[in-house]
Amino acid sequence: MANTETSLKEAASIDGAIGAALVDYTSGMALGTIGGGKELDLNVAAAGNTDVVRAKVRAMELLGLNDEIEDILITLGSHYHLIRLLKGRGTNGLFLYLALDKSRANLAMARHQLKKIENELEV
């Protein structure tokens, strides 16, 4: 099992990674971040993506969809933004956020690696 710091370092090593965060979507606060910088304020991204997660959860409730969100993908002109809701023991209300440079990233591989990181993370 990996802790938060180890998991974020592993996420940052994904090809094309700009930054990563572990986020509590009940509060909108980042529990840990790596990368980002001038290009991307990960604390602002954590709060903003919390709104995205809450909106999707609410939409699913309104639609009566009895299912779970695996991940949410936001595609920008030059970035991919992946939000992976965590489902392991003790991770309820948390998501991993990964920002990728579109020109350097392999989206399928990044999703696969983020899932692996999720499975190994212990909070």
Side-chain angles (χ1 to χ4, degrees):
M1 289 293 162
N3 64 21
T4 300
E5 183 180 351
T6 302
S7 295
L8 289 174
K9 285 180 181 176
E10 194 173 336
S13 73
I14 295 172
D15 286 343
I18 297 167
L22 177 64
V23 182
D24 174 355
Y25 69 81
T26 59
S27 68
M29 301 293 290
L31 304 178
T33 63
I34 190 167
K38 292 179 185 175
E39 184 177 0
L40 180 66
D41 184 329
L42 290 169
N43 289 307
V44 172
N49 285 310
T50 292
D51 292 338
V52 171
V53 171
R54 289 177 183 163
K56 187 58 189 172
V57 168
R58 178 77 176 127
M60 288 177 61
E61 288 170 358
L62 290 171
L63 293 167
L65 298 176
N66 189 22
D67 211 341
E68 292 182 340
I69 300 169
E70 283 186 21
D71 57 34
I72 298 169
L73 169 64
I74 301 168
T75 305
L76 304 178
S78 59
H79 294 160
Y80 293 124
H81 292 243
L82 277 171
I83 301 167
R84 178 139 192 114
L85 276 69
L86 304 184
K87 295 172 186 60
R89 185 173 51 107
T91 61
N92 192 32
L94 301 179
F95 66 85
L96 279 169
Y97 166 69
L98 177 65
L100 299 160
D101 179 325
K102 205 171 174 181
S103 68
R104 298 184 299 123
N106 177 323
L107 181 57
M109 185 57 73
R111 289 184 69 221
H112 175 74
Q113 289 173 300
L114 208 53
K115 182 177 182 178
K116 179 179 175 283
I117 292 166
E118 172 197 4
N119 289 335
E120 295 172 356
L121 176 62
E122 187 171 292
V123 179

